[in-house]
Amino acid sequence: MASRNISVSEASRPKLPRHARLKFDETRQVWVILAPERVLAPDEIAVEVLQLCDGARSVADMIDQLAAKYAAPREAIATDVLAMLQDLADKGFLTEAREKTS
Amino acid sequence: MSDLITDGKATAAPHDGLAVLESRRSTAETFGIPLAVLAELTHRCPLQCPYCSNPVELDRGGTELTTDEWKKVLTELAEIGVLQIHFSGGEPTARKDIVELVQHATDVGLYSNLITSAVLLTKEKLSALAGAGLCHVQISFQGNEPVVADRVAGLKNAHQKKIEAAKWTRELELPLTVNAVMHRQNLHQLTDIIQMAVDLDADRLEVANVQYYGWALKNRAALMPTLEQIEETSRIVEDAAIRLKGILAIDYVVPDYYALRPKKCMGGWGRQFFNISPAGKVLPCHAAESITGLEFESVRSNHSIAWIWQNSEAFNRYRGTRWMPEPCQSCEFKEIDFGGCRCQAFALTGDAGNTDPACTLSPMHEQIFKAAASEAAADNNRFLYRNFAGGTLETEGEHGA
């Protein structure tokens, strides 16, 4: 599977694969990721980052945006965001946007 | 299928911002609406597996909910907070309206899984299902090659068709789960089945030992593994899980006859799961109709699905812990396994309210374990195939196919 074992860098333009759906659950009033045989509840920060993963925006852009929004040092934000995205990718919840679709 | 959306399947690392919703115990504590529901669209199936999880008394085609009735059910499920729908059977693609139902699930916001034998799928049908918004495909396999697999399925060429359908699934970039139901007559293929799942580019593999009620209980002598096989199986699965980390996720369902503690069946009766039978009965588990004396409400009744879940006698009878007799009532594990499986307790003791004999604390445990071990040793391999006629015994060279 093309999405497996991707390595996230600032140049990556990650997006959720079609089998992972980020959705606000109105009944329980929480954000959820729907995946095969799983329902996960991402925390607020993960939701914010995942919402930026549209396959067009690069990780570098995402870091800039978050650093500006929270008036935080870019380096600290970069470390956290890259670690979180890599972890999500390792679990199969992120894939790399393909060249042809970008 | 007791492992559909249960707790403890994925534990999130502390820094990834993910938690499994079930682990918050919200459903368990409040009996809120389950996150996922199993829709058994039909009991019709071209396969005749001797361990079929459908009840021995199958719903006939004429009793099935209509397309409009299923659509109404899907809409209602989404409205009350269900997030995922598992389309199962029987063989769900035996329904001519399967694409229409998947499309409707998508339209009302449900995440859809297709749990299929795959033998009726064509590339066009699968492509139409993907176009309708299908999110995930789970294909059952009976072995890693046709000789064993087609004999177990009771259908010639079944294995080859499954392999083709699995390849189409991945060509369409749908995630694939391989479901392998394991028993004495195919456990020797487990290593090869794991490799087959890798070669098919599956995301997940379910290694599910047969659970013995309904058809499987009728076939227990032909299916029950030996203790040596189970020990070997556990070793193979543990090795593969480490070796294939990041390539193939493996879920393992152990056979509870050889366990010390019973399984937390369905996550506890009426706590986080229900299914809807082909005729529209709302059931605490897909085998629940085997328990005589319980009345199950239908989606065709005047009650809403949420009312049936919260209030019906069948769901409340074994919900929580107050119904429990000894040795469960004073047991420190009663909130961990909820007394095991009600269907198994009924099948083996005649009373669904008894402790599941899979538990070593059950007075029946010793006797049943010994019976299973002696059946495994006797090695009588003749199947009783599953069908609407109450089952057909395997004949020499015929494979029921």
Side-chain angles (χ1 to χ4, degrees):
Chain A
M1 184 157 122
S3 63
R4 286 206 194 98
N5 298 324
I6 68 164
S7 177
V8 179
S9 70
E10 291 212 13
S12 308
R13 285 173 291 110
K15 64 172 187 176
L16 272 73
R18 70 169 281 157
H19 63 266
R21 305 272 166 93
L22 182 67
K23 171 182 166 148
F24 187 71
D25 176 3
E26 296 286 349
T27 304
R28 299 168 188 84
Q29 293 291 303
V30 289
W31 282 91
V32 292
I33 298 174
L34 301 175
E37 314 286 338
R38 304 265 193 286
V39 179
L40 298 123
D43 67 19
E44 265 175 57
I45 301 185
V47 170
E48 182 156 10
V49 173
L50 284 167
Q51 283 173 326
L52 297 174
C53 294
D54 57 7
R57 202 181 264 107
S58 71
V59 173
D61 289 346
M62 291 162 55
I63 294 165
D64 290 341
Q65 199 171 325
L66 293 167
K69 180 172 175 183
Y70 293 102
R74 191 184 189 285
E75 198 179 330
I77 295 279
T79 306
D80 289 354
V81 168
L82 282 168
M84 176 184 284
L85 292 178
Q86 186 62 56
D87 212 63
L88 289 166
D90 290 345
K91 288 192 165 69
F93 296 116
L94 278 183
T95 183
E96 190 102 47
R98 297 194 172 183
E99 290 307 319
K100 63 182 177 190
T101 58
S102 60
Chain B
M1 260 178 280
S2 57
D3 56 341
L4 300 173
I5 310 290
T6 54
D7 48 356
K9 293 292 282 293
T11 36
H15 61 278
D16 71 353
L18 291 178
V20 177
L21 197 58
E22 285 291 2
S23 70
R24 296 182 174 190
R25 301 178 61 204
S26 56
T27 313
E29 282 167 4
T30 65
F31 307 133
I33 287 297
L35 301 169
V37 166
L38 182 73
E40 294 184 310
L41 298 180
T42 178
H43 281 158
R44 290 173 288 131
C45 184
L47 268 53
Q48 311 182 75
C49 306
Y51 47 71
C52 180
S53 65
N54 289 160
V56 175
E57 292 285 330
L58 297 163
D59 287 352
R60 302 238 165 217
T63 67
E64 290 174 14
L65 296 183
T66 63
T67 305
D68 285 344
E69 284 176 314
W70 273 118
K71 283 184 174 178
K72 186 167 164 283
V73 165
L74 294 171
T75 302
E76 190 175 339
L77 292 175
E79 281 171 0
I80 61 180
V82 172
L83 299 172
Q84 293 205 7
I85 187 81
H86 304 294
F87 289 114
S88 179
E91 173 47 49
T93 63
R95 291 273 306 208
K96 290 189 172 66
D97 55 3
I98 184 67
V99 176
E100 193 176 346
L101 294 177
V102 168
Q103 181 66 57
H104 191 77
T106 304
D107 292 345
V108 298
L110 291 167
Y111 182 104
S112 57
N113 300 284
L114 184 69
I115 299 174
T116 180
S117 70
V119 299
L120 300 178
L121 283 173
T122 59
K123 194 169 184 181
E124 291 69 33
K125 174 63 72 88
L126 199 54
S127 179
L129 288 165
L134 183 67
C135 304
H136 170 230
V137 178
Q138 174 175 317
I139 299 179
S140 65
F141 281 86
Q142 282 69 39
N144 79 302
E145 51 72 46
V147 176
V148 167
D150 291 353
R151 177 182 161 242
V152 174
L155 182 70
K156 291 191 174 84
N157 301 319
H159 185 73
Q160 187 51 40
K161 287 180 183 170
K162 287 161 182 276
I163 294 283
E164 278 176 18
K167 288 178 180 164
W168 298 330
T169 301
R170 295 299 300 120
E171 281 171 30
L172 289 162
E173 298 192 356
L174 284 164
L176 172 68
T177 292
V178 166
N179 172 275
V181 178
M182 307 307 298
H183 47 82
R184 188 176 74 243
Q185 299 195 50
N186 71 355
L187 271 170
H188 64 282
Q189 296 191 334
L190 181 57
T191 303
D192 294 327
I193 288 172
I194 293 169
Q195 187 56 45
M196 177 185 77
V198 173
D199 293 343
L200 289 172
D201 197 24
D203 302 82
R204 288 176 66 245
L205 169 66
E206 289 183 1
V207 178
N209 275 286
V210 168
Q211 305 291 309
Y212 293 93
Y213 18 76
W215 291 100
L217 186 57
K218 284 180 177 287
N219 277 290
R220 194 175 70 182
L223 297 169
M224 183 59 68
T226 63
L227 187 54
E228 294 71 32
Q229 276 184 306
I230 289 305
E231 286 168 351
E232 173 75 354
T233 301
S234 300
R235 192 187 60 72
I236 291 170
V237 170
E238 281 163 25
D239 285 357
I242 294 165
R243 182 166 51 86
L244 299 172
K245 190 169 165 27
I247 298 169
L248 180 73
I250 303 179
D251 287 324
Y252 181 44
V253 179
V254 293
D256 55 6
Y257 274 61
Y258 290 114
L260 298 177
R261 305 244 75 89
K263 61 181 178 284
K264 184 184 182 182
C265 196
M266 298 296 139
W269 181 274
R271 294 175 70 84
Q272 60 189 41
F273 176 89
F274 66 83
N275 72 300
I276 299 175
S277 75
K281 295 279 179 66
V282 185
L283 307 173
C285 116
H286 50 276
E289 283 181 292
S290 66
I291 302 172
T292 56
L294 278 182
E295 288 286 327
F296 300 102
E297 301 278 353
S298 169
V299 299
R300 284 171 168 157
S301 71
N302 293 326
H303 296 299
S304 69
I305 295 172
W307 185 93
I308 294 170
W309 166 256
Q310 298 280 356
N311 302 301
S312 70
E313 162 66 14
F315 278 93
N316 283 323
R317 178 83 66 91
Y318 302 115
R319 197 170 242 161
T321 57
R322 265 182 293 181
W323 59 273
M324 288 179 179
E326 292 297 345
C328 293
Q329 193 52 253
S330 58
C331 181
E332 62 177 311
F333 298 106
K334 72 177 176 183
E335 301 257 358
I336 293 174
D337 57 41
F338 289 94
C341 172
R342 296 306 90 225
C343 303
Q344 183 149 280
F346 181 80
L348 298 180
T349 76
D351 182 350
N354 281 337
T355 299
D356 181 348
C359 181
T360 47
L361 299 172
S362 161
M364 306 274 294
H365 178 81
E366 185 75 9
Q367 176 197 336
I368 283 162
F369 178 83
K370 278 187 181 153
S374 65
E375 282 174 7
D379 207 26
N380 176 355
N381 291 333
R382 193 180 183 193
F383 290 141
L384 176 74
Y385 285 111
R386 168 262 204 223
N387 59 30
F388 281 87
T392 301
L393 266 172
E394 182 180 19
T395 50
E396 198 73 26
E398 276 295 307
H399 307 344

